[in-house]
């Protein structure tokens, strides 16, 4: 990989941003990340990279910036001269997007437009990855969904992602920019934020098993999702930008499971009967839920040779084991 490969990542401190940084650094890239001043305390996922003297300040650089601040974004582009931008940042909690719709749409929608405009003005060509989401489909007419399934979002977050996804297509078609939408289904790992349901369940199963918590309160157990393994999905992002043509790709396992399935598997991993510990709290229910979200990843499998490396059962077990290790460190 030549030294000329320079990636700029928005959302570098998140689950996906941290795995992507590792992948790109392993592949010889210089990696620049945009971080908010207020996100200081949330850098635990890239702390191991920041502490590595051979990496931080040598091939990994962090820039303070905010996605609402176009001037600063332009300056970061000028300083880093990226050949690829991975736009992952923004408020990504679907339930929360009903509480804070305006800022969610600003971050997931308008910020993408702002970055596309900066990319369009670059003298050297820059490849652009946009983190789209299965939430653009919402109340779908067909299952599984493909790249041509019509968008019908059911949340403010889904609406903002639908806007940004279509804009990315417009910039590809109208200006010839190398822009890819990765339409990613849920992807999880031990680095998932604690307020997403998989991490919440895995963490609670481990803590209850070790006597640190008494119960777990959840919303809708019957919701179904197509859950994959985050490092696999990050690899898919990179593969999209290596292809000769920019395009949109669904990234999914093609299987869907209920929240109840996840709960059962997580509690089974610690040999506990889940029914004794799981309670319902309607405040975690959402005003609307997408239905039948399950993706058909045939296109990325055939075109780019991508495939997932973990089964659902392996994913649940890995997440619970990571939580058990975290609990052991506390004790
Ligand atoms: O884990 P979740 O919050 O993920 P959700 O809403 O599917 O969104 C995630 O995946 C999308 C697709 O990739 C992304 F676009 C998005 O940014 C995010 O990464 O909820 C999953 C399901 C929902 O149906 C929710 O209603 O779990 C249900 N659920 C039940 N109890 C709960 C809970 N979700 C959360 N967060 N907390 C609960 O207590």
């Amino acid at each position: 990989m030549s030294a000329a490969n320079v990636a700029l990542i928005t959302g570098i401190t998140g689950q996906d941003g941290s795995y992507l940084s590792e992948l790109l650094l392993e592949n010889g890239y210089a990696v620049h990340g945009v971080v908010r001043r207020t996100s200081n305390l949330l850098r635990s996922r890239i702390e191991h990279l920041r502490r590595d003297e051979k990496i931080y300040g040598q091939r990994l650089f962090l820039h303070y910036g905010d996605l609402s601040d176009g001037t600063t974004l332009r300056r970061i582009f000028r300083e880093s001269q990226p050949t690829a931008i991975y736009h992952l940042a923004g408020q990504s909690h679907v339930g929360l997007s009903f509480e804070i719709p305006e800022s969610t749409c600003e971050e997931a929608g308008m910020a993408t437009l702002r970055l596309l405009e900066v990319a369009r003005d670059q003298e050297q060509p820059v490849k652009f990855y946009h983190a789209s989401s299965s939430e653009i489909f919402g109340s779908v007419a067909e299952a599984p969904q493909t790249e041509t399934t019509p968008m019908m979002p059911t949340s403010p977050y889904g609406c903002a992602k639908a806007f940004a996804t279509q804009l990315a297509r417009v910039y590809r078609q109208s200006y010839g920019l190398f822009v890819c939408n990765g339409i990613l289904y849920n992807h999880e790992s031990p680095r998932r934020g604690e307020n997403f349901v998989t991490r919440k369940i895995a963490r609670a199963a481990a803590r209850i098993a070790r006597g640190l918590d008494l119960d777990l309160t959840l919303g809708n157990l019957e919701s179904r999702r197509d859950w994959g393994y985050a490092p696999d999905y990050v690899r898919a992002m990179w593969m999209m930008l290596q292809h000769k043509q920019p395009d949109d790709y669904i990234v999914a396992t093609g299987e869907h499971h209920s929240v109840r399935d996840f709960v059962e598997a997580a509690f089974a991993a610690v040999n506990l009967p889940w029914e004794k510990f799981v309670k319902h709290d309607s405040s975690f229910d959402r005003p609307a839920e997408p239905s039948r979200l399950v993706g058909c990843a045939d296109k990325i499998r055939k075109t780019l040779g991508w495939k997932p490396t973990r089964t659902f059962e392996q994913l649940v077990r890995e997440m619970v084991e990571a939580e058990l290790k975290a609990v052991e460190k506390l004790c």
Side-chain angles (χ1 to χ4, degrees), residues 40 118 172 186 218 243 321:
N40 260 353
V118 181
R172 184 169 67 218
N186 298 50
L218 290 173
H243 195 54
E321 280 169 4

Side-chain angles (χ1 to χ4, degrees), residues 92 133 157 184 186 192 195 197 200 219 223 225 286 289:
S92 64
S133 159
Y157 172 82
L184 269 52
N186 298 50
R192 191 52 146 149
N195 56 351
V197 79
K200 187 172 166 184
S223 268
R225 289 290 187 276
R286 296 181 183 170
E289 280 275 3

Side-chain angles (χ1 to χ4, degrees), residues 92-104:
S92 64
H93 196 282
V94 178
L96 195 57
S97 79
F98 287 95
E99 309 292 322
I100 49 167
E102 207 171 316
S103 58
T104 301

Side-chain angles (χ1 to χ4, degrees), residues 191-296:
R191 295 188 195 171
R192 191 52 146 149
E194 285 173 13
N195 56 351
F196 292 92
V197 79
T198 56
R199 177 86 192 279
K200 187 172 166 184
I201 296 167
R203 187 165 185 267
R207 290 176 63 86
I208 292 169
R210 296 295 179 260
L212 293 180
D213 283 343
L214 295 176
D215 53 32
L216 164 64
T217 310
L218 290 173
N220 188 355
L221 290 187
E222 307 316 323
S223 268
R224 300 186 79 83
R225 289 290 187 276
D226 179 334
W227 276 299
Y229 182 55
D232 288 341
Y233 287 48
V234 158
R235 186 165 34 84
M237 297 175 188
W238 179 76
M239 290 171 98
M240 285 178 215
L241 295 200
Q242 308 318 301
H243 195 54
K244 50 189 186 305
Q245 303 287 353
D247 209 338
D248 299 340
Y249 297 93
I250 297 261
V251 187
T253 69
E255 273 182 32
H256 55 119
H257 297 269
S258 65
V259 173
R260 183 189 298 271
D261 294 337
F262 201 102
V263 167
E264 276 175 15
F267 279 77
V270 290
N271 296 315
L272 287 176
W274 69 271
E275 297 90 335
K276 254 181 86 176
F277 302 100
V278 175
K279 301 192 166 116
H280 178 253
D281 181 341
S282 58
S283 69
F284 292 112
D285 292 341
R286 296 181 183 170
E289 280 275 3
S291 54
R292 303 198 299 158
L293 276 190
V294 58
C296 168

Side-chain angles (χ1 to χ4, degrees), residues 115-150:
L115 280 167
L116 284 166
E117 274 294 292
V118 181
R120 181 183 155 207
D121 291 346
Q122 296 308 296
E123 275 171 26
Q124 65 161 354
V126 57
K127 293 183 176 181
F128 194 113
Y129 172 84
H130 169 239
S132 182
S133 159
S134 54
E135 283 290 315
I136 63 173
F137 295 127
S139 54
V140 280
E142 60 189 23
Q145 295 84 50
T146 70
E147 290 77 7
T148 57
T149 299

